[in-house]
Amino acid sequence: MRGISSRLIIVALTFDLGITAASFTGLLPKAEKILAKVLPHLIFIPSDRGCGCGTTQGYSLLDGRYMSESSSGICYKTPQIAQEKLQSIVANALKVIERIPKYKNRFGSDGERIVLLYLNKEGKERVKILWYDGDKLITEIDAPTLEVAMGFESANAYLY
């Protein structure tokens, strides 16, 4: 395990040094274009952030698409209100791709994980990965494709 950790650190440092060098030499725009073709769904660039009733963090992908993550734990005064909101989101989905009643989130807490396909306001298909703690917390990944949503979740790229 220790060998793997040190190798990952070396890879990350090498990548960071390469990006820094590319930015100083003017090659960064070219590098971004190459990354956009190779890994357009795995590079999440933080863009906008909103707070209020919960937190939302937006991300730009290298290919110009947008995705977001959000947490709405303080929005719902009771578990019943949170459950109603969750059921409303699921009811308005085009398709429920996956539903796992007992799923550990990135913090190790158990809750329900729901992956669904829905139409946004412009009528375009998008994907949501929802996680509900059974009380008042609903977290959400909203992405242009299932591949992007799963990549974000598995990369543990969350900022909040």
Side-chain angles (χ1 to χ4, degrees):
M1 184 63 88
R2 189 174 183 189
I4 292 172
S5 297
S6 59
R7 287 185 186 131
L8 288 174
I9 290 170
I10 290 169
V11 168
L13 287 173
T14 304
F15 181 77
D16 287 345
L17 287 172
I19 293 296
T20 303
S23 66
F24 285 129
T25 61
L27 296 174
L28 188 58
K30 291 177 185 173
E32 285 179 345
K33 286 180 184 177
I34 292 168
L35 284 173
K37 289 180 183 175
V38 178
L39 302 169
H41 57 283
L42 294 179
I43 307 297
F44 310 103
I45 303 164
S47 55
D48 54 329
R49 185 172 178 92
C51 296
C53 182
T55 302
T56 299
Q57 174 67 53
Y59 299 87
S60 297
L61 304 175
L62 286 178
D63 60 7
R65 294 179 296 171
Y66 179 82
M67 65 157 294
S68 65
E69 62 170 306
S70 63
S71 174
S72 56
I74 61 172
C75 297
Y76 310 114
K77 293 181 181 180
T78 67
Q80 292 77 21
I81 294 171
Q83 289 169 4
E84 288 171 10
K85 177 63 176 174
L86 182 69
Q87 293 311 317
S88 171
I89 294 169
V90 172
N92 289 314
L94 289 176
K95 178 182 178 182
V96 175
I97 298 168
E98 182 178 54
R99 196 164 191 165
I100 303 170
K102 289 188 178 182
Y103 185 89
K104 289 196 183 299
N105 70 0
R106 68 184 187 274
F107 303 116
S109 301
D110 283 326
E112 181 178 17
R113 180 178 180 269
I114 306 167
V115 182
L116 53 87
L117 181 69
Y118 78 101
L119 292 177
N120 67 7
K121 292 177 185 176
E122 291 81 36
K124 294 183 180 179
E125 287 186 358
R126 289 188 61 91
V127 172
K128 287 185 188 231
I129 298 177
L130 303 167
W131 184 85
Y132 174 58
D133 71 350
D135 190 28
K136 296 188 250 178
L137 176 64
I138 300 172
T139 60
E140 175 181 302
I141 296 170
D142 185 321
T145 66
L146 181 59
E147 183 181 30
V148 171
M150 300 287 279
F152 183 85
E153 183 182 46
S154 66
N156 209 7
Y158 304 89
L159 283 184
Y160 71 85

